[in-house]
Amino acid sequence: MGSSEVEIRSEIKKLRELRQQALLGGGPKGIEKQHRAGKLTARERLELLVDPGSFVEIDMFVKHRATEFGMDKRICLGDGVVTGFAKINGRPVFVIAQDFTFMGGSLGEMHAAKITKTLMTALEVGTPVVFLNDSGGARIQEGVDSLKGYGEIFYLNVHASGIIPQIAAIMGPCAGGAVYSPALMDFVIMVRKTSFMFITGPRVVKAAIGEEVDEFSLGGADVHSIKSGCAHLVANDDREAIELIKKLLSYLPQNNMEEPPYVDTGDDPERRDPELDAVIPSDPMKPYDMHEVITRVVDKGTFFEIHSNFAPNAIVGFARLAGRVVGIVANNPGYLGGVLDINSSDKIARFVMFCDAFNIPILTFVDVPGFMPGTAQEHGGIIRHGAKVLYAYSEATVPKLTVIVRKAYGGAYIAMGSRHLGADFVIAWPTAEIAVMGPEGAAEIIWRRELSAAKSPEERAEMLRRFTEEYRGRIAHPYVAASRGYVDSVIEPSGTRPMLAKALDILINKREVRIKRPPRKHGIPPM
Ligand code: HXC
């Protein structure tokens, strides 16, 4: 063996030792603590996430440059974050996984530099990015360099928005300004019991306003998926979160220049569903579950609901129709009558914008009594929140298909994917009621004089019942709208799927370049 060969071998040995060191992150104790907390390590998470053998790590040997507060003695190869590229179900993706075992996954200058490098490359290559968050936030010892790092991450999150899908999973703490990276990404998945997100933690809350609250009641997965709407999906543990990420990616294109992946689902596009003819209750006030309509129309087993716990009066999610990905938007009469309120408007508008950015046709199912009345909603800004729905639908240039199932009243009729906002294909079931408002409210206005002449409350109630019925008889059908061409066709519910599949097959060729609009830098959505 020559001396140079000996040298190479010793260098390889050194490299292997360094790699081994990097693989241990913050060390065995930290790994043990992570497991005790019910969490997987960054590397274990990545191993579950990506296709076996596909992960190529970048920046494994990066170290921080801080010297203050004893930092010169606390070095960890990789600096508390694992980054690189891999494949998920055969499709390329960039990944970022924070390693809580080193300084609580806190973000310093070099840790941030690894993340921005990953985001930048993903953006240039046109590949989705998955960011597994598990961090104590800005690395306190690194001061303003940490803040700079966050700022640069936010900047890239914004510039990647609408170009590549960005998915954030919160798998541990996510506190302070750190929350704004997930907030700027497209989808946030939280793990129940081990993750939380807040701007200011319980201690500061107590000091500032005297309120006592624990981390999970302040910013746990249930809080964010049900109340704040900051989380789109919730998992019971790390493994489930990773499965959700993979499922989500299976509906998304790689970037805004590509189509979402086609999958032959084996479900016949011509399949009629006779059960749909009986889904709508004969009493127009009776609730039913719109999920049943959706799942019967789309390819079997493909509906993947997003944001399901937040504002359940609206439903959004992905599905396949004749193998093609569609974004589903619907009112759900099973909750608050399917009314549009502040939260459901935000939920719908954001989802429509996402679908539009990523070439995903939008399929809307309408059964909406209107916008939610009352001081809480008016004072909370239902006007500007509701306007987001109008804005998102009007701006969207992807194919827009709408099915009016039952009620479509007033401004909410317009907002929910009407032809007037540029829908390409609108069909109605014979049960559709398209009107300015509900029959009773309309009767109160039209026959106000007659009603005020009633001699007793009983007589008034009887008159109102009669007038309501008369109004319902005149408007509670889709044929006025169909006679004007606002509705393209009235169809039997059982034939909805074949009709939509045919329409989508044609509309899929719709292209933005063929839609004439004056150039502008950007519009100003009612945020
Ligand atoms: C440096 C940190 C850190 C941080 C945690 N650690 N957070 N080190 N900077 N931000 C270290 C701990 O000192 C500890 O080191 C190790 O990580 C593990 O933390 P523990 O506290 O032992 O873990 P746990 O009990 O699970 O608690 C996790 C935690 C807690 C809830 C995240 O550590 C915590 O409250 N940290 C501070 C969070 C914070 O205030 N961050 C700044 C937010 S403001 P040892 O050596 O003991 O192992 C912010 C501004 C960003 O981020 C602005 C962007 C615009």
Side-chain angles (χ1 to χ4, degrees), residues 390 393-402 414 417-426 507 510 515 517:
L390 297 165
Y393 269 105
S394 300
E395 202 180 40
T397 54
V398 288
K400 292 180 281 192
L401 299 88
T402 301
I414 301 170
S418 68
R419 263 229 168 245
H420 324 300
L421 302 189
D424 304 286
F425 188 66
V426 180
L507 292 169
K510 190 181 173 196
I515 302 166
R517 281 177 189 168

Side-chain angles (χ1 to χ4, degrees), residues 22-45:
L23 292 178
L24 280 176
K29 274 200 185 137
I31 295 174
E32 207 186 300
K33 191 179 160 199
Q34 183 83 343
H35 288 160
R36 266 204 317 272
K39 302 194 289 183
L40 298 173
T41 65
R43 289 181 187 282
E44 287 165 344
R45 288 169 178 161

Side-chain angles (χ1 to χ4, degrees), residues 33 74 100 103-104 106 136-141 147 150 154 173 175-178 196 203:
K33 191 179 160 199
R74 298 191 77 174
F100 194 81
M103 296 191 75
S106 58
R139 189 175 292 158
I140 294 157
Q141 292 87 339
L147 300 184
Y150 271 121
F154 304 157
F196 51 81
R203 256 178 286 157

